Amino acid sequence: MMRMTVLASGSKGNSTVISSSRTRVLVDAGLSCRELLKRMAIAGEDPTTLDALLITHEHQDHVAGLGVLARKLDIPVYFTESTHRAWVRMLTPRTTMSYAQWLDHVQKEKETRANAAAANFDEQPEPGVCDSMTAAVEGSSAECSEPDDPEEPVQPTKKKLDATYLPAVEYFHSGRQFSIGDIEITPFTIPHDAADPCGFVFAAEGMKMAVATDLGYMPPNVKAALKRIDVLLLESNHDLEMLKDGPYPWSVKQRVLSRVGHLSNVATAEFLERDYDGSAAYIVLGHLSESNNAPELARLCAEQALTNHPSLLGNRVLLAEQMAPLEPITL
C-alpha cells in the first residue's frame, strides 16, 4: 500500500505526505507548523508517525514551517547540502556597516580584549584551591578542595535554539537513490531558480509515486524519471494569457516564463501528449497560481492532451488546492 496526501499546493505553500504501510515522509513544509498540523488532522494523517522531512528546495513556499515542525516532531530533515546551506543563509540575519562603523567596531573589540586580559591578570585564586608550588616549598600538607564526583553526570546547559537548529540533518545527492524506512527515493534535478532543486520518485511495495513541481521546462532527465509512475503530482502553474495580462511586475512575469521558472498549462499538456507513457492511475495537477491560472483551465488543457491519446483515457486528473488538503490517494 502507498498513499499520497497533498496538504497544500501553490505559491502560498506546498506540502505532501508520501507513505507506505511502514514509513511516512513529508515532502516540503511550506505552511506554518500550526497550519501543517491542522491540515494533517483534516486529512487523517498523524504527524507523530512521520519519519522524516524531505525538502525539494529552499524557497519560502516550500520551507516556511520547516524548522518549527522538525523540532516539534523531533525528526530528521533530508536536503541536498547546497539546499541546506541556502536555507541557513536565508534565516541568518545580515547586517551592513560603513567603513567608519567597521573601524569603531574593531577598536571596541581591541578594548574588550585588553580589559579581559587585565582582569585575568589581577584575578586571585579561589578559596579552597591548593597552590601546589607554595605547598611544595613550605612542605605543607595544606588541604585542597576535592574534585567533583567523576561518576556524577554533568547537566548540560540548555542552549537557546536558533531558527536554523534542526534535530538531525541528512544529505542526499540528486541522481543517487537512497531510502527512508522501506521507501526508496530517487531525487532528480529540476530546472528552477534555487540552489539545488529536486523532484522525487518514491517506490515501495511494487508501486511508484512522483512529485515534480517548480519546473521551468521538461528536460530529458525529468521525462525519463517520470516513466512507469502510478501517481504523479505534476506542476500546471499558469495560463499564458492570464500571466501576461495579470498583476505581476514584468520582471516577475519574465522569471515565471523563463527556463528556471514554472510550467504553464500548455507546457504540461505538451508533456502529457508527447512524452508521457500513460502509466499513472492518477495525475494530480499542482502549484496552480491563484493570480495567473484557473483550475478549470488547467484541467481542460490536461484532459484535452490525454483525449488526443485514447490509450491515456484511463488516467484520472485531479487538482491539488492551496487552501485545503486533497483527499488521500491510496493504491
Side-chain angles (χ1 to χ4, degrees):
M1 185 273 293
M2 283 195 80
R3 183 171 69 237
M4 174 187 286
T5 305
V6 183
L7 301 177
S9 187
S11 58
K12 292 181 179 177
N14 298 271
S15 190
T16 300
V17 180
I18 301 289
S19 58
S20 68
S21 57
R22 293 191 295 143
T23 306
R24 285 177 176 79
V25 177
L26 185 67
V27 184
D28 290 334
L31 303 172
S32 70
C33 177
R34 184 192 300 271
E35 185 64 22
L36 285 168
L37 295 177
K38 176 183 172 184
R39 298 282 180 100
M40 291 187 74
I42 292 171
E45 297 282 355
D46 182 358
T48 64
T49 63
L50 286 176
D51 295 287
L53 278 168
L54 183 60
I55 302 302
T56 59
H57 63 291
E58 75 279 6
H59 287 171
Q60 185 69 9
D61 58 325
H62 294 260
V63 299
L66 166 59
V68 177
L69 186 69
R71 291 189 289 271
K72 184 176 183 65
L73 300 179
D74 194 28
I75 55 176
V77 182
Y78 287 72
F79 304 88
T80 67
E81 184 174 0
S82 296
T83 296
H84 182 217
R85 290 179 179 276
W87 177 73
V88 169
R89 287 196 302 271
M90 187 172 71
L91 294 184
T92 302
R94 296 178 230 176
T95 58
T96 58
M97 61 177 68
S98 66
Y99 181 63
Q101 288 172 323
W102 178 77
L103 286 176
D104 184 56
H105 175 71
V106 170
Q107 183 60 36
K108 286 179 179 177
E109 281 193 336
K110 287 181 180 178
E111 291 172 0
T112 300
R113 286 195 294 269
N115 292 336
N120 289 336
F121 182 78
D122 293 336
E123 190 176 36
Q124 296 299 320
E126 294 180 7
V129 177
C130 180
D131 185 337
S132 58
M133 185 174 289
T134 303
V137 171
E138 296 179 356
S140 170
S141 59
E143 293 183 359
C144 292
S145 57
E146 290 295 325
D148 293 335
D149 183 354
E151 298 301 320
E152 186 178 347
V154 177
Q155 296 297 324
T157 56
K158 188 171 182 182
K159 222 175 144 184
K160 186 177 178 183
L161 301 181
D162 64 33
T164 63
Y165 171 79
L166 297 171
V169 172
E170 298 286 347
Y171 289 148
F172 63 83
H173 300 275
S174 188
R176 296 188 197 172
Q177 189 179 89
F178 65 99
S179 296
I180 300 176
D182 66 335
I183 300 179
E184 291 184 348
I185 303 169
T186 304
F188 53 89
T189 297
I190 57 175
H192 194 53
D193 55 353
D196 190 12
C198 293
F200 300 104
V201 173
F202 303 90
E205 304 174 33
M207 287 169 286
K208 288 184 176 182
M209 296 184 172
V211 174
T213 64
D214 298 78
L215 302 120
Y217 69 106
M218 293 291 287
N221 75 300
V222 175
K223 293 176 182 178
L226 300 184
K227 301 288 187 184
R228 298 177 296 281
I229 301 298
D230 296 293
V231 179
L232 173 59
L233 172 55
L234 181 64
E235 178 172 57
S236 189
N237 177 257
H238 58 276
D239 173 80
L240 289 169
E241 295 305 316
M242 286 183 70
L243 176 64
K244 290 174 183 176
D245 296 336
Y248 286 1
W250 177 238
S251 59
V252 177
K253 292 179 182 180
Q254 286 180 307
R255 174 201 169 247
V256 172
L257 290 167
S258 75
R259 287 170 69 84
V260 291
H262 293 276
L263 282 184
S264 68
N265 296 340
V266 171
T268 299
E270 287 178 353
F271 163 73
L272 293 175
E273 185 173 355
R274 298 175 186 176
D275 300 291
Y276 171 57
D277 65 1
S279 60
Y282 294 91
I283 298 171
V284 183
L285 301 179
H287 218 304
L288 275 66
S289 169
E290 290 183 287
S291 300
N292 304 301
N293 208 351
E296 57 272 20
L297 291 178
R299 186 196 295 274
L300 181 62
C301 274
E303 289 182 342
Q304 283 181 338
L306 297 175
T307 301
N308 291 335
H309 280 266
S311 62
L312 306 183
L313 289 177
N315 293 170
R316 185 177 175 190
V317 177
L318 304 176
L319 296 172
E321 297 181 37
Q322 180 69 88
M323 303 310 295
L326 188 66
E327 188 74 20
I329 301 169
T330 304
L331 296 177

